[in-house]
Amino acid sequence: MNLALRDIRYHRGRFILTAIGLGLLIGVVISMGGIYRGLFADALAVFDSTKADIWVVQQETNGPFAENSRIPEDIKYRIQAVPGVAEASPLSFQTIQIERLGKPFRFFLIGYDPNGFGGPPEIIAGRNIRQKHYEMVVAEAMGKELGEKIHLGLNDYTVVGITGKVVSSGGDPAAYVSLADAQEIQFKKDNNAIRNDRERIAANLAGLQTLSPTQSKFLQQNITGITESTHTVNTIVARLAPGADLREVQERISRWNHFRPISAEEQTRILTKGMIEKARMQLGLFRLILLVISAVIISLIIYTSTIDKIKVIATLKLIGAQNRVIIGMILQQSLLMGVIAYAIGYVLILLTYEKFPRRIVLEAFDLQALFVIVIAICTISSFVGIRKALKVEPAEALGG
Amino acid sequence: MYAVEVERLTKIYGKGETTVTAIADATLRVKPGELVAILGPSGSGKTTLLTSIGLINEPTHGRVIIDDTTVADEGWLPGLDLKRIRREKLGFIFQAHNLIPFLTAQENVMVALEINNLTRNNAKVRATELLNSLNLGHRLGSYPSVLSGGEAQRVAIARALANRPKVILADEPTAALDTENGKNVMNLLKKLAVENRSAILVVTHDHRMVEGFDRIFHVSDGRITNEKQRVEAGGTHGLG
Ligand SMILES: Nc1ncnc2c1ncn2[C@@H]1O[C@H](COP(=O)(O)OP(=O)(O)O)[C@@H](O)[C@H]1O
Ligand SMILES: [Mg+2]
């Protein structure tokens, strides 16, 4: 006869409530782990979907995610010409905030060259961008339908495709437009500012007495070009040809001034170590604290349930029950509590994790490790109860 | 020859200055099938005597022999599996029934059998038989909390009988019952002593409950002061 199960059957209300409470706690621990993993996945989402070997950014920056980086778009031709580079493509990034249902809504706009790479990693509905202008592919999380129009800058952009879970490192959903459109949204939306710039520079030039009228006119024309130049991007990504040596290619690019070639490995480090380090530590610590709390609660539950059973344990000893009967009763109950609470927590998160505002990534390893930890906590906690139980004297069964 | 032999048993609680001699120099012998009472006022040492015989309380001095096995001689004999002797040879009945609250009547009896290595099915059969014979056939699936005091005590008796013990030790088994139920329990014990050939030692402070017992040991201040052979057996049905 299994005494642990009989006791649970008799006190099922209490047991179920306790298991649910513990299950919620374990659910929070699981979701913490998932958020922790999600943080990585989010931080690396654009990086991963680009599948570039080298990220060429402005010198002395950790761009384009951690720091602002600006480089001319036409550098891509020079990079493409570097031996060992198979292809190079420009990318631009900007965070855009729009008004949606009366609330601010932020998303991450990626401009890419439809003839290059770095575009949507997959199309789960609709199609990819085909025209040079006014088409858009959005991440699922944008909550947009195919055919919907979004007004950005001076124009309307039509959603032609939906992609998966691409987000900025801050967790904002991503949208893709052609590079030309992205530049237009970024630079042309403020015509007044450009006009002001142009006038300010022209006025300065006009004040320079040393210039001849011809020189002055020539400069003015060029300044218009400079201030209106929208051919700036945040990074140029490159893929290596098979067998090419990463170091060599990096060195070649480094030799030109003004550009820094960041390898995929370095970029991963910048994204995961630098950018989310604090959040990561915070979550890790939080998770640890929750585990300690769970351990304390489980110990308390088992200890009190043992105290409740002192008389039962004394009676069992008196009628000659072996220690294993008593240890088994406490240990099995504790383990059962752990397993059921874990199952409740797991199912809870499984049913809800997609509804969390930030990405939750449930990794089999994390789940298994937590299960092992929960079982270990239950086993260790039950030692407290078992120790108490083994000290109970059969004589305690006597008397009122 | 004897189911229980106690020779010059002394039990001293505590150490140093604050010792209590709960039982001093007690000697008694009980044969199989004999029903004896240990009668005395509260605090006189009855429970101590019973638990010393029951291998729960280590005697300070003297000898205890259960079913021809010496279990104590100036303290426990080394190397004994006390629990095993308890579950194989002894049955206990208490003042409060001490049933396990989360087990049904049937399971409470079964647990005593299963810890003594009976298979589940055999335990079930035997428990059912026992409870039927104690008129509890309709209470097999009931939890102790819904049993009446008399019913609960009969389940406890069934549990004590489960392993056909040589010795049954009952500590104030009627104290929590009304007179009628108390008499019924005592009559049941009388019947069992005869039928099962068990030695039954019943502790009580209520002299009205001991009629029909084979012998009565009076205890006061830790000493057996008087041993009475059966004088009257006022019938098996309680004559008040
Ligand atoms: N565990 C114990 N420690 C110390 N003294 C005890 C203990 N148990 C009983 N006593 C003392 O021993 C004496 C006899 O007690 P007990 O055997 O319980 O008597 P009875 O069962 O006749 O009421 C009492 O004075 C009691 O206070
Ligand atoms: Mg007593």
Side-chain angles (χ1 to χ4, degrees):
Chain A
M1 174 175 352
N2 188 308
L3 293 174
L5 286 177
R6 306 281 149 157
D7 186 25
I8 290 169
R9 182 188 62 184
Y10 189 71
H11 294 114
R12 54 184 162 273
R14 189 175 74 177
F15 183 82
I16 290 167
L17 272 180
T18 315
I20 289 175
L22 214 52
L24 292 174
L25 197 62
I26 290 173
V28 175
V29 178
I30 293 175
S31 69
M32 279 297 146
I35 293 170
Y36 183 93
R37 293 284 175 191
L39 214 58
F40 275 90
D42 280 357
L44 295 173
V46 173
F47 166 81
D48 277 342
S49 66
T50 307
K51 295 190 175 59
D53 297 312
I54 295 179
W55 296 68
V56 181
V57 299
Q58 190 179 331
Q59 193 159 46
E60 284 165 3
T61 72
N62 284 319
F65 303 108
E67 278 181 84
N68 203 17
S69 147
R70 288 188 160 216
I71 58 175
E73 184 187 335
D74 53 19
I75 293 299
K76 80 167 177 206
Y77 298 112
R78 287 174 67 186
I79 290 166
Q80 215 144 30
V82 171
V85 171
E87 47 180 337
S89 194
L91 287 177
S92 89
F93 304 112
Q94 54 191 309
T95 299
I96 291 184
Q97 184 163 319
I98 55 173
E99 190 94 348
R100 201 163 95 176
L101 302 168
K103 282 182 194 155
F105 178 81
R106 285 188 343 152
F107 65 95
F108 190 60
L109 189 70
I110 301 170
Y112 76 104
D113 178 358
N115 299 317
F117 66 100
E122 50 172 354
I123 297 291
I124 57 179
R127 58 170 175 81
N128 215 327
I129 291 174
R130 259 185 227 144
Q131 282 170 12
K132 202 177 174 201
H133 285 295
Y134 313 130
E135 290 190 345
M136 193 178 214
V137 170
V138 299
E140 260 179 307
M142 286 277 287
K144 294 281 172 194
E145 306 273 318
L146 287 178
E148 233 181 291
K149 285 187 164 49
I150 300 173
H151 188 80
L152 295 172
L154 306 170
N155 300 298
D156 282 340
Y157 295 83
T158 308
V159 175
V160 297
I162 310 281
T163 186
K165 288 177 178 158
V166 188
V167 290
S168 73
S169 54
D172 299 319
Y176 290 86
V177 291
S178 72
L179 184 63
D181 283 351
Q183 287 166 333
E184 193 164 307
I185 293 164
Q186 191 166 12
F187 299 112
K188 280 218 172 149
K189 64 183 173 190
D190 204 350
N191 283 330
N192 288 333
I194 292 169
R195 205 170 303 129
N196 285 344
D197 269 0
R198 205 188 301 166
E199 275 165 17
R200 187 169 45 80
I201 294 168
N204 284 343
L205 284 175
L208 287 173
Q209 300 302 325
T210 47
L211 291 178
S212 72
T214 337
Q215 282 173 314
S216 175
K217 193 175 171 220
F218 178 78
L219 265 173
Q220 274 199 17
Q221 277 167 359
N222 269 291
I223 277 152
T224 312
I226 291 167
T227 50
E228 273 188 357
S229 169
T230 59
H231 297 289
T232 302
V233 295
N234 299 108
T235 182
I236 293 186
V237 285
R239 286 178 184 161
L240 295 181
D245 183 63
L246 174 70
R247 294 234 142 267
E248 242 167 63
V249 174
Q250 272 183 299
E251 248 157 54
R252 268 176 206 277
I253 298 173
S254 299
R255 246 175 270 149
W256 314 329
N257 290 329
H258 313 303
F259 305 116
R260 176 182 173 198
I262 301 179
S263 71
E265 200 184 309
E266 287 169 304
Q267 190 65 268
T268 308
R269 202 163 40 238
I270 290 168
L271 282 165
T272 55
K273 279 275 149 51
M275 292 180 66
I276 57 170
E277 179 77 353
K278 283 211 175 104
R280 219 164 55 87
M281 275 167 61
Q282 186 107 337
L283 280 175
L285 210 64
F286 199 26
R287 211 146 78 109
L288 194 73
I289 291 170
L290 282 174
L291 274 177
V292 171
I293 293 174
S294 313
V296 170
I297 290 177
I298 293 172
S299 306
L300 264 171
I301 291 169
I302 293 164
Y303 189 73
T304 31
S305 108
T306 309
I307 298 290
D308 283 350
K309 282 202 278 288
I310 291 286
K311 185 111 187 209
V312 167
I313 291 166
T315 305
L316 283 169
K317 286 189 171 189
L318 187 70
I319 65 173
Q322 300 84 342
N323 279 342
R324 66 175 154 79
V325 173
I326 290 152
I327 293 170
M329 176 172 72
I330 296 170
L331 188 63
Q332 285 164 16
Q333 228 165 55
S334 170
L335 291 178
L336 211 65
M337 169 77 70
V339 169
I340 291 175
Y342 181 89
I344 290 172
Y346 176 69
V347 169
L348 186 79
I349 296 304
L350 210 62
L351 293 178
T352 58
Y353 80 104
E354 285 191 324
K355 297 186 176 65
F356 274 71
R358 281 207 68 147
R359 181 171 355 190
I360 292 199
V361 177
L362 299 176
E363 287 205 3
F365 173 80
D366 291 356
L367 292 169
Q368 286 157 6
L370 183 64
F371 184 75
V372 171
I373 290 171
V374 168
I375 294 303
I377 288 176
C378 289
T379 310
I380 295 165
S381 300
S382 62
F383 288 165
V384 187
I386 288 169
R387 236 171 71 100
K388 178 83 192 165
L390 290 182
K391 280 191 194 145
V392 171
E393 291 288 333
E396 286 175 58
L398 300 159
Chain B
M1 181 63 211
Y2 290 105
V4 177
E5 293 178 71
V6 174
E7 276 171 31
R8 310 201 56 167
L9 183 121
T10 297
K11 172 69 191 183
I12 303 168
Y13 288 113
K15 281 201 176 89
E17 307 254 305
T18 56
T19 56
V20 178
T21 305
I23 268 293
D25 234 6
T27 298
L28 62 86
R29 290 188 178 79
V30 187
K31 286 183 210 142
E34 234 185 339
L35 175 68
V36 305
I38 297 167
L39 190 64
S42 182
S44 56
K46 309 181 296 293
T47 297
T48 303
L49 179 58
L50 201 73
T51 51
S52 298
I53 297 168
L55 285 79
I56 296 167
N57 230 332
E58 182 168 13
T60 316
H61 301 294
R63 289 214 296 166
V64 176
I65 302 163
I66 306 280
D67 192 27
D68 291 331
T69 308
T70 304
V71 292
D73 192 350
E74 301 296 300
W76 302 134
L77 238 60
L80 284 178
D81 185 349
L82 298 178
K83 278 188 173 171
R84 184 174 168 174
I85 300 172
R86 281 210 296 272
R87 65 177 178 263
E88 288 178 354
K89 303 204 164 167
L90 304 177
F92 293 90
I93 302 164
F94 316 99
Q95 171 181 345
H97 55 70
N98 273 57
L99 295 176
I100 293 169
F102 54 80
L103 298 181
T104 63
Q106 190 184 39
E107 288 164 349
N108 261 287
V109 180
M110 283 169 69
V111 78
L113 292 159
E114 285 185 25
I115 58 174
N116 208 13
N117 298 324
L118 235 72
T119 63
R120 210 184 137 73
N121 277 339
N122 288 344
K124 197 165 193 164
V125 170
R126 168 118 179 101
T128 311
E129 254 173 41
L130 269 168
L131 290 168
N132 278 333
S133 74
L134 297 174
N135 293 327
L136 286 164
H138 62 300
R139 286 305 212 176
L140 296 182
S142 303
Y143 285 102
S145 57
V146 301
L147 297 177
S148 73
E151 284 174 332
Q153 201 55 298
R154 277 185 283 149
V155 176
I157 291 170
R159 181 176 68 186
L161 292 173
N163 292 310
R164 298 188 172 86
K166 288 277 188 302
V167 181
I168 291 176
L169 303 168
D171 191 4
E172 312 251 12
T174 61
L177 302 177
D178 58 41
T179 315
E180 195 187 325
N181 273 310
K183 294 255 173 182
N184 288 340
V185 164
M186 288 303 195
N187 288 334
L188 184 59
L189 292 175
K190 278 176 224 165
K191 198 174 105 190
L192 293 172
V194 177
E195 282 176 9
N196 292 13
R197 305 266 323 138
S198 303
I200 305 188
L201 282 77
V202 183
V203 158
T204 180
H205 63 267
D206 188 349
H207 59 88
R208 293 169 305 168
M209 287 291 175
V210 298
E211 64 187 38
F213 276 56
D214 295 322
R215 278 184 298 151
I216 298 163
F217 294 94
H218 284 270
V219 182
S220 94
D221 279 337
R223 290 179 181 274
I224 296 177
T225 53
N226 187 358
E227 181 186 335
K228 253 191 225 152
Q229 297 301 318
R230 166 139 94 171
V231 275
E232 36 78 46
T236 43
H237 298 286
L239 293 169

